[in-house]
Amino acid sequence: MRAEPRSSARYASPTEYAPEVPFASTGPHGHRSRMREKLLARGPDSLADYELLEMLLFFAMPKGDTKPLAKALINRFGSFANVLAAPQQTLMDTRGLGVHSVSALKLVQASALRLARAEVMERPVLNNWTVLIDYLTAVMAREKIEQFRVLFLDTRNRLLADEAQARGTVNHTPVYPREVVKRALDLQATALILVHNHPSGDPTPSRADIEMTQEVKAAAHVLGIVLHDHVIIGNGRHLSFRREGLL
């Protein structure tokens, strides 16, 4: 039995990929139809995480029992969300996955992020802080290296653009205040929110984080652009510079 190939239209059966931690399983006969009926009759909340993943893999693997592979992925990565957010190459190197299944996983991840982003863009950001943090957590909390993003806002504090300005190492991202302000002028933004993640999971700002924030604030102020906040996203936690009195 071979894993799903990466360069042909053939599909591999995932049944040989048993999870590292055993789950009870049932036979595959009629299973896909029963799962679809369960989804449509009782709604997606009736499905466990591994069942959602199992059904997602249906579309990439038209034949075979995808339950063992789904459970193996949950066991390896820890959750449904972590499977979707895993680096593409890591997924491609995972036994049982290939170009079709990885494409399906990344398509669902992208769809979820766009839906979350739409929720942010439809409302003034500062009045919907919880929605904003949920979105930023979805985008950045599981990143393995630091990523620096800027939210560009209009005069009503609605989101004009959310752009990744730089990616760095596990603990450092180079940020150039002049480039941030130049981009704000290009977009005719009147306010900014800086955001970056700490892959360590601890959102405590470093001295470099604090100094960089002050540099961006000063450069933006000269041109009449307001820096509302700098948010650091950790693992299940976040820190706001403004709320901590650092801005």
Side-chain angles (χ1 to χ4, degrees):
M1 189 74 67
R2 294 180 299 174
E4 176 189 328
R6 295 179 169 81
S7 60
S8 76
R10 295 178 59 197
Y11 300 90
S13 170
T15 53
E16 71 173 89
Y17 305 106
E20 296 176 5
V21 178
F23 282 81
S25 92
T26 57
H29 179 67
H31 180 63
R32 294 191 177 205
S33 294
R34 291 193 297 272
M35 291 293 293
R36 294 189 187 100
E37 290 170 3
K38 180 179 179 180
L39 171 66
L40 296 176
R42 297 166 56 187
D45 288 343
S46 67
L47 301 177
D49 279 1
Y50 80 86
E51 291 177 314
L52 286 174
L53 185 56
E54 176 187 359
M55 292 194 71
L56 175 57
L57 293 172
F58 286 174
F59 299 101
M61 301 176 178
K63 297 181 180 179
D65 182 3
T66 60
K67 181 183 291 186
L69 178 56
K71 291 177 176 178
L73 292 171
I74 295 289
N75 284 331
R76 175 177 179 184
F77 293 101
S79 70
F80 178 75
N82 285 346
V83 174
L84 295 183
Q88 178 175 310
Q89 191 56 52
T90 299
L91 292 172
M92 290 292 292
D93 292 340
T94 298
R95 188 183 185 195
L97 296 179
V99 64
H100 302 293
S101 49
V102 173
S103 296
L105 294 173
K106 287 303 171 185
L107 181 61
V108 171
Q109 182 195 23
S111 299
L113 293 179
R114 291 198 183 189
L115 180 60
R117 184 181 179 187
E119 289 288 316
V120 173
M121 296 194 73
E122 291 172 359
R123 315 173 188 180
V125 168
L126 299 183
N127 295 336
N128 295 277
W129 194 253
T130 299
V131 174
L132 176 64
I133 295 301
D134 287 345
Y135 166 67
L136 295 174
T137 298
V139 172
M140 305 178 73
R142 295 176 178 84
E143 286 281 332
K144 302 303 182 185
I145 62 174
E146 276 202 13
Q147 180 186 110
F148 180 78
R149 305 181 75 88
V150 182
L151 308 184
F152 298 94
L153 310 180
D154 65 12
T155 55
R156 298 175 62 185
N157 290 321
R158 293 177 304 187
L159 188 64
L160 289 171
D162 164 25
E163 297 183 353
Q165 298 292 302
R167 294 172 65 88
T169 64
V170 294
N171 58 10
H172 175 69
T173 303
V175 178
Y176 304 100
R178 187 169 73 174
E179 293 300 316
V180 173
V181 174
K182 179 178 182 298
R183 183 58 178 154
L185 292 174
D186 290 342
L187 294 169
Q188 299 183 338
T190 59
L192 307 171
I193 296 177
L194 309 181
V195 190
H196 81 280
N197 64 307
H198 279 181
S200 68
D202 180 0
T204 303
S206 66
R207 173 54 56 184
D209 292 337
I210 295 172
E211 292 175 353
M212 177 272 292
T213 303
Q214 293 302 324
E215 291 173 4
V216 172
K217 180 181 178 180
H221 178 73
V222 170
L223 298 172
I225 300 170
V226 177
L227 177 59
H228 282 313
D229 210 337
H230 183 173
V231 179
I232 300 179
I233 300 295
N235 184 10
R237 296 187 291 160
H238 72 278
L239 180 140
S240 160
F241 272 50
R242 182 165 297 281
R243 294 184 182 182
E244 294 295 321
L246 297 172
L247 189 62

